[in-house]
Amino acid sequence: MKRRREEEEMEIVWQTPANPPERHDYIFRNGVRYVRPYHFEFICHVKNRWTGKNIVDLFAKEFRGRPYDYYVSAVKSGRIQVDGETVPISYIVRTSQKISHFVHRHEPPVMAWDVSILQKEPDVLTVCKPASVPVHASGQYRKNTVVGILEAEHGLAPLFPIHRLDRLVSGLLILARSASKADFFRQQIEARVVHKQYVAKVVGVFPEDEQVVNANVNFNVREGRSTVEVESAGNACTTLKGKAATTKFTRIGTNGIHSIVLCEPITGRTHQIRVHLQYTGHPIANDTLYLSEEVVDPFTKGMGTDSTVGVSEEDSKEGFSIDPMCTNCPNLAHKGYDTDQEGLWLHCLRYTGPGWTYECPYPEWASLD
């Protein structure tokens, strides 16, 4: 890569997904786990709908996390390249070309709870996933994930998650230790012979009798929120956009203010348990997304001071240097992410399949005392 003089003086070492996370990559502060910012190469290939577009305009429209002027500078300096070559800001992209974007990556922080290992077998690992930590690399997260932390702190790799939990959900996570074992679990899940159980703490006195919700779930990607759809009375011809979804609920106990409910999803739609509980009139008691009709933007709400923690002298000595082109420096964390995140009162309790069962202890909040 052709670099500007100041970049050469910084002795930048570019990372790719092949670089494994290591224990020293993490910084812990005030109960929050940060990832030391690092230089990273994002790689993508030109899609058909991108063909014929100007390189700067393309990035400014498709990747809006940075200002237009940044992309102009990134192209001029060689931080954005096409097929391994520096191009002018007037460059027009063509189908299937490889585009590299060299960035100073600031991952969003997560809460500094341990990823507890529940059971380690030759081909299966089960852990208790803490809330706020995503399962695997996606979006801005790469090292601050369950898979990344297990590799960095326990040397466990490769790992293949056989199911997913939302970032704010805690509890049992099953990871296969080989591709063949992962395929074994996948086939059973697709055959719907795997029984899943969660526990939730909800608002109000949940009905004593078993409740079964059959209501389509429609996930809005833009809002990051699901809604329930049901056929209108007397209008069976109504076309429902959502996917069919079924959840069984059983009350475990109540104190008159909250109830602890066993949740057994038959299908696996995005936010299914959360939105089905809202539909019953008993949403999860600390679920701000479904306690009201107001859509909360996860990238702007609750911006605490930790989300913009700057660089201290101690951090600099540990190897965190300021990147002159970075739009996030000198902050440790990626701008726009909330660190004051309470885990949802929703916990994965147990997975059962033909001849096997894995489970996780109840969380502390499941007590009604």
Side-chain angles (χ1 to χ4, degrees), residues 1-8 54-57 59 67-82 85-91 99-102 325:
M1 175 185 178
K2 299 176 181 178
R3 303 173 182 166
R4 295 180 303 171
R5 181 174 299 277
E6 65 244 43
E7 292 180 352
E8 292 175 348
N54 171 274
I55 184 71
V56 175
D57 292 341
F59 269 83
Y68 187 90
D69 290 346
Y70 164 80
Y71 291 118
V72 172
S73 298
V75 173
K76 287 182 176 179
S77 66
R79 287 281 182 108
I80 293 177
Q81 296 185 357
V82 179
E85 298 291 335
T86 301
V87 297
I89 59 174
S90 60
Y91 188 82
I99 299 181
S100 295
H101 184 196
F102 298 90
M325 282 192 61

Side-chain angles (χ1 to χ4, degrees), residues 169 195-202 206 210-213 246-252 259-267 271-278 280 282-284 345-351 362 365:
V169 176
H195 183 211
K196 300 167 282 186
Q197 293 181 308
Y198 292 72
V199 63
K201 187 174 185 176
V202 305
F206 198 84
E210 178 182 282
Q211 304 289 305
V212 178
V213 175
T246 303
T247 314
K248 182 171 69 174
F249 298 107
T250 307
R251 191 178 83 186
I252 296 174
S259 298
I260 303 299
V261 178
L262 181 68
C263 315
E264 300 173 273
I266 309 304
T267 52
H271 294 186
Q272 176 178 317
I273 294 174
R274 297 167 68 181
V275 74
H276 273 182
L277 282 168
Q278 180 197 46
T280 68
H282 300 276
I284 295 172
W345 286 338
L346 179 62
H347 182 84
C348 183
L349 199 62
R350 186 177 297 109
Y351 263 58
Y362 276 79
W365 52 255

Side-chain angles (χ1 to χ4, degrees), residues 122-276:
D123 53 359
V124 180
L125 178 75
T126 60
V127 303
C128 186
K129 172 193 165 315
S132 87
V133 184
V135 171
H136 52 71
S138 61
Q140 292 291 340
Y141 296 92
R142 176 171 163 257
K143 299 182 181 184
N144 244 352
T145 63
V146 172
V147 171
I149 292 168
L150 286 171
E151 182 170 8
E153 297 186 350
H154 300 278
L156 293 166
L159 294 172
F160 305 86
I162 65 103
H163 64 108
R164 64 180 297 274
L165 298 176
D166 288 345
R167 187 173 59 84
L168 295 180
V169 176
S170 62
L172 175 70
L173 183 65
I174 307 171
L175 305 109
R177 304 184 70 179
S178 68
S180 59
K181 191 64 176 181
D183 191 56
F184 163 81
F185 282 118
R186 180 188 58 78
Q187 292 177 22
Q188 291 195 350
I189 291 172
E190 290 181 353
R192 295 195 175 181
V193 296
V194 175
H195 183 211
K196 300 167 282 186
Q197 293 181 308
Y198 292 72
V199 63
K201 187 174 185 176
V202 305
V203 172
V205 178
F206 198 84
E208 187 175 2
D209 296 334
E210 178 182 282
Q211 304 289 305
V212 178
V213 175
N214 286 294
N216 283 27
V217 172
N218 186 14
F219 181 65
N220 186 314
V221 176
R222 186 180 183 85
E223 295 182 352
R225 175 189 179 103
S226 288
T227 53
V228 162
E229 296 179 336
V230 293
E231 291 182 352
S232 302
N235 187 5
C237 296
T238 302
T239 301
L240 302 180
K241 298 180 181 179
K243 297 180 179 179
T246 303
T247 314
K248 182 171 69 174
F249 298 107
T250 307
R251 191 178 83 186
I252 296 174
T254 183
N255 61 5
I257 300 174
H258 296 117
S259 298
I260 303 299
V261 178
L262 181 68
C263 315
E264 300 173 273
I266 309 304
T267 52
R269 311 306 182 197
T270 302
H271 294 186
Q272 176 178 317
I273 294 174
R274 297 167 68 181
V275 74
H276 273 182

